[in-house]
Amino acid sequence: MLAVDSLEVVYAGVVRALRGVTMSVRAGQVVAVLGGNGAGKSTLLRAVSGTLGMHGAKVTAGALRFDGQDLAGRGAADIVRLGLVHVPEGRRIFGRLTVEENLRAGGMSVRGRAARAQARDQVYELFPLLAERRHSRAVLLSGGEQQMLAIGRGLMSAPRMLLLDEPSLGLAPQIIGKIGAAIREINAQGVSVVLVEQNAAMALALSEVAFVLELGRTSLSGPSAELAASDEVARRYLAVA
Ligand code: ATP
């Protein structure tokens, strides 16, 4: 469904953030992307979602295909319409707007009031806490609720694939468990998920397949259960989770 082939990305014309990333995601899968700070995980998601430009970066080599369509040269809005939605690191919600207004902003590309209302109701079903707080300003939510809102906002455009950048960042274990359960539920409803995480234990538990990035390259990949059992992965990634 998503195919990334030998991808290279450069920031500001000089910083070679990706130097050959190859990965693929099949329809219905949850795929984890692991790696330390600066390995290139966020850059990979930005490349897929067509948002490199707003960070001063661009693809310099390689190919990106989604559902057989070439993503090269497509704008971010166009890529959302194809069904690929990116929930960036740091949530990026609108703090001064209410929960409901944030969701509405996420659904702007969806045609039809009824379809938008249905998407919103599904988000509230998935995250009942958001329904309770629908009229609160987003800035007043806890970190976990803000992450739920960021994911919910992404779901408003009815994606077929969700790109999640570090959804567990800064959250308490109990809340991470709730986010993990929501990711499982979203996937059970037919949405494929690319899960970027420094929390390797969480990501390996949720995913079927995992890719490890190191210095902008895919250094390791395989079934998540195998990576979770590998001594090397345990030593390098699980200890810091
Ligand atoms: P983290 O978990 O710390 O976000 P990451 O694996 O997501 O790490 P990226 O953020 O993709 O890594 O960074 C990959 C490389 O690109 C790093 O060397 C980083 O310094 C560089 N980089 C990222 N964003 C920018 C930017 N806006 N301008 C210049 N260089 C950048």
Side-chain angles (χ1 to χ4, degrees):
M1 190 177 196
L2 176 69
V4 178
D5 185 21
S6 310
L7 191 70
E8 298 187 16
V9 170
V10 173
Y11 282 93
V14 286
V15 184
R16 295 180 61 211
L18 299 191
R19 299 157 180 254
V21 170
T22 295
M23 72 173 287
S24 59
V25 182
R26 284 192 277 139
Q29 274 184 327
V30 178
V31 168
V33 178
L34 310 176
N37 269 324
K41 306 179 301 296
S42 300
T43 303
L44 171 63
L45 295 193
R46 289 172 186 159
V48 173
S49 63
T51 54
L52 282 175
M54 64 179 76
H55 299 277
K58 61 181 181 189
V59 172
T60 52
L64 284 165
R65 299 182 77 77
F66 181 64
D67 245 1
Q69 308 216 49
D70 191 353
L71 297 182
R74 285 181 189 262
D78 194 16
I79 290 175
V80 168
R81 275 192 295 273
L82 290 178
L84 246 173
V85 168
H86 183 182
V87 179
E89 188 176 357
R91 347 250 203 247
R92 306 278 166 77
I93 53 174
F94 302 116
R96 292 164 60 98
L97 301 186
T98 65
V99 165
E100 183 117 349
E101 287 164 345
N102 269 277
L103 293 181
R104 211 176 296 148
M108 264 169 0
S109 66
V110 178
R111 289 220 185 138
R113 190 185 271 262
R116 286 195 295 271
Q118 192 190 359
R120 185 199 56 204
D121 291 347
Q122 281 175 348
V123 170
Y124 286 149
E125 218 168 282
L126 184 65
F127 297 119
L129 276 171
L130 293 183
E132 281 172 29
R133 309 211 56 186
R134 65 206 297 162
H135 300 303
S136 301
R137 282 175 190 247
V139 70
L140 299 174
L141 302 180
S142 69
E145 290 164 347
Q146 290 188 358
Q147 184 60 56
M148 292 171 192
L149 179 56
I151 295 173
R153 193 176 59 180
L155 291 173
M156 286 297 294
S157 43
R160 290 185 296 138
M161 182 177 288
L162 205 52
L163 311 171
L164 299 177
D165 199 346
E166 305 236 17
S168 77
L169 195 69
L171 303 181
Q174 195 197 352
I175 310 296
I176 293 177
K178 280 193 180 157
I179 300 284
I183 292 171
R184 279 213 174 88
E185 177 60 30
I186 290 165
N187 180 244
Q189 290 171 10
V191 181
S192 311
V193 177
V194 178
L195 179 59
V196 158
E197 269 295 343
Q198 292 213 26
N199 183 338
M202 173 214 195
L204 289 174
L206 285 172
S207 59
E208 190 180 329
V209 174
F211 294 81
V212 179
L213 300 192
E214 237 173 289
L215 297 173
R217 287 194 176 86
T218 315
S219 62
L220 204 63
S221 65
S224 301
E226 278 177 28
L227 292 199
S230 133
D231 287 345
E232 192 195 342
V233 171
R235 198 174 57 245
R236 301 183 63 160
Y237 300 104
L238 295 176
V240 297

